[in-house]
Amino acid sequence: MAKITTLLLFLFFFTLLITTSLSKNLCHKDDKNTLLKIKKSLNNPYNVISWDPKEDCCTWVSVECGDATVNHRVTSLDISDDKISAQIPPEVGDLPYLQTLIFRKLSNLTGPIQPTIAKLKYLRFLRLSWTNLTGPVPDFLSQLKDLEYIDLSYNDLSGSIPSSLALLPKLGYLELSRNKLTGPIPESFGSFPGEVPDLFLSHNQLSGSIPKSLGKLDFYRIDLSRNKLKGDVSMLFGANKKTWIIDISRNMFQFDISKVKVAKTVNLLDLNHNGITGSIPVQWTELSLQTFNVSYNRLCGPIPKGGDLQRFDAYAYLHNKCLCGAPLQRCK
Ligand SMILES: *[C@@H]1O[C@H](CO)[C@@H](O)[C@H](O)[C@H]1NC(C)=O
Ligand SMILES: *[C@@H]1O[C@H](CO)[C@@H](O)[C@H](O)[C@H]1NC(C)=O
Ligand SMILES: *[C@@H]1O[C@H](CO)[C@@H](O)[C@H](O)[C@H]1NC(C)=O
């Protein structure tokens, strides 16, 4: 009996093996045609050139297909690190099941963020980064309700941040760092409908003050460094938040830090190069900090003793109005 069962099992798996290897061509023909058009639009670059029309497109480099539930349609296109001189091909909008779209480290990828991306209604992950894209951060991204992750960093994007991005119900990560964005942080960013996304807006030319509404949110990571933001950001802090990273360095913020309580979860606290006044709160001795910098502000008074505050060298405290005590000189 056991022998027969083993034999049947063997036959079963053998048949499975044969059928799967025979029906290997899973690629949908529309997707294959579209991908070949994309290859042509990109001027047949090196990585992508290996796309062989005779092979199953689901096995092509840079391409991934979904399982049977989506008819093995193409769900991911990731073109990175290639010598491409082109714009984003409009045909990317004709891969209707795409969930992940990545163009990264392509210094000669130019032109705007392709408007046909608006057709990709299942898109969850969009990374167009380390390229030379120009034009605005498009408003149409807010129509792609499944978007969870947007990274448009290291480009030449200009214009202001569309306030409609705050309509995305599943957004968990928004990175627009290292562009030429201007204007304020939209008021709408104080009311994301879903979770509060990680927010990376550093190295732009953003101006104005931070909307008060952002104070209601509990950002896990927020980086506003190297902009031209001004005013008070004390509402971003709070003892009861779960913030991990907060970087507001190199802006024009002006507020009194003396009563600002920082969450114990904070690991990176960088306030350098602003116009922050007041003295460092004693509560900060309770923090476990990996990175800490309050240099180049207008702080005054003794540096509280204890916790991690003496673990950092003088460079974390230099160029203030009248800070004193270790690691700086003794207070008079
Ligand atoms: C980008 O284009 C310039 C000018 O056409 C060329 O010299 C350079 O090698 C290209 N770089 C890459 C990474 O393709
Ligand atoms: C954009 O292009 C310039 C000059 O063509 C190049 O120096 C720069 O590295 C490119 N940027 C990126 C992020 O690749
Ligand atoms: C703090 O920031 C200043 C100014 O950018 C820099 O010179 C210094 O090295 C930084 N110190 C630490 C400890 O990170």
Side-chain angles (χ1 to χ4, degrees):
M1 194 58 196
K3 262 189 184 162
I4 291 177
T5 318
T6 319
L7 190 67
L8 282 176
L9 264 176
F10 175 77
L11 275 175
F12 173 74
F13 282 113
F14 187 71
T15 322
L16 202 69
L17 197 74
I18 294 287
T19 44
T20 46
S21 57
L22 282 181
S23 65
K24 217 177 167 189
N25 208 342
L26 299 171
C27 181
H28 193 282
K29 70 174 192 335
D30 293 353
D31 289 347
K32 182 177 266 186
N33 284 337
T34 301
L35 288 167
L36 290 170
K37 282 185 200 153
I38 290 173
K39 175 179 167 180
K40 202 167 161 219
S41 289
L42 293 173
N43 307 313
N44 297 318
Y46 178 77
N47 263 337
V48 187
I49 201 127
S50 63
W51 289 358
D52 180 350
K54 290 196 292 293
E55 280 169 17
D56 179 4
C57 80
C58 294
T59 65
W60 290 353
V61 64
S62 306
V63 176
E64 276 173 34
C65 295
D67 60 17
T69 61
V70 291
N71 269 325
H72 305 285
R73 298 299 297 256
V74 169
T75 52
S76 169
L77 180 65
D78 174 357
I79 297 180
S80 298
D81 257 322
D82 209 326
K83 287 208 187 319
I84 284 176
S85 293
Q87 301 204 359
I88 298 177
E91 293 87 357
V92 295
D94 300 329
L95 294 169
Y97 287 82
L98 217 53
Q99 294 175 11
T100 298
L101 178 62
I102 301 173
F103 284 92
R104 185 167 181 272
K105 293 215 169 167
L106 308 164
S107 56
N108 287 346
L109 189 74
T110 54
I113 294 180
Q114 177 52 244
T116 61
I117 290 174
K119 294 196 280 179
L120 301 173
K121 62 177 180 200
Y122 297 119
L123 201 63
R124 286 156 60 171
F125 188 107
L126 177 65
R127 169 173 278 155
L128 310 171
S129 170
W130 295 89
T131 58
N132 257 316
L133 296 174
T134 51
V137 175
D139 205 39
F140 69 71
L141 293 178
S142 63
Q143 297 162 26
L144 303 173
K145 297 297 182 199
D146 280 346
L147 270 177
E148 295 165 8
Y149 192 107
I150 300 176
D151 175 8
L152 306 177
S153 62
Y154 289 88
N155 282 296
D156 272 325
L157 301 174
S158 55
S160 54
I161 301 175
S163 61
S164 61
L165 291 181
L167 297 171
L168 289 169
K170 297 180 184 167
L171 194 63
Y173 187 101
L174 178 61
E175 174 154 14
L176 305 174
S177 325
R178 306 252 179 184
N179 279 290
K180 294 182 176 136
L181 301 175
T182 51
I185 295 175
E187 185 73 42
S188 62
F189 275 30
S191 56
F192 289 94
E195 60 183 308
V196 180
D198 286 340
L199 195 58
F200 299 93
L201 305 177
S202 74
H203 289 83
N204 279 291
Q205 292 147 33
L206 300 173
S207 58
S209 42
I210 308 293
K212 284 268 170 294
S213 53
L214 260 65
K216 291 178 290 177
L217 306 185
D218 191 353
F219 289 99
Y220 181 58
R221 295 188 284 180
I222 182 163
D223 183 357
L224 307 177
S225 64
R226 294 186 191 245
N227 279 290
K228 296 173 181 167
L229 297 162
K230 63 183 172 64
D232 187 354
V233 269
S234 56
M235 70 287 199
L236 285 184
F237 300 86
N240 297 321
K241 297 197 177 189
K242 293 186 184 65
T243 318
W244 187 47
I245 284 174
I246 181 158
D247 189 346
I248 60 165
S249 64
R250 292 183 189 256
N251 278 286
M252 303 181 314
F253 291 123
Q254 275 182 14
F255 60 101
D256 187 331
I257 202 86
S258 309
K259 294 202 173 68
V260 171
K261 293 210 162 103
V262 174
K264 284 184 191 158
T265 48
V266 169
N267 178 273
L268 181 153
L269 182 60
D270 198 342
L271 314 181
N272 86 71
H273 280 272
N274 279 289
I276 302 170
T277 55
S279 55
I280 297 177
V282 175
Q283 188 257 344
W284 292 17
T285 61
E286 297 167 17
L287 308 176
S288 308
L289 296 162
Q290 200 68 45
T291 307
F292 174 73
N293 203 332
V294 295
S295 67
Y296 295 87
N297 277 292
R298 291 199 267 126
L299 299 172
C300 207
I303 297 169
K305 275 208 183 68
D308 280 343
L309 294 185
Q310 275 70 41
R311 211 165 54 74
F312 299 96
D313 63 19
Y315 289 102
Y317 295 97
L318 283 179
H319 291 275
N320 274 286
K321 201 166 140 212
C322 46
L323 274 184
C324 60
L328 299 179
Q329 284 180 349
R330 185 182 303 178
C331 299
K332 294 202 179 88

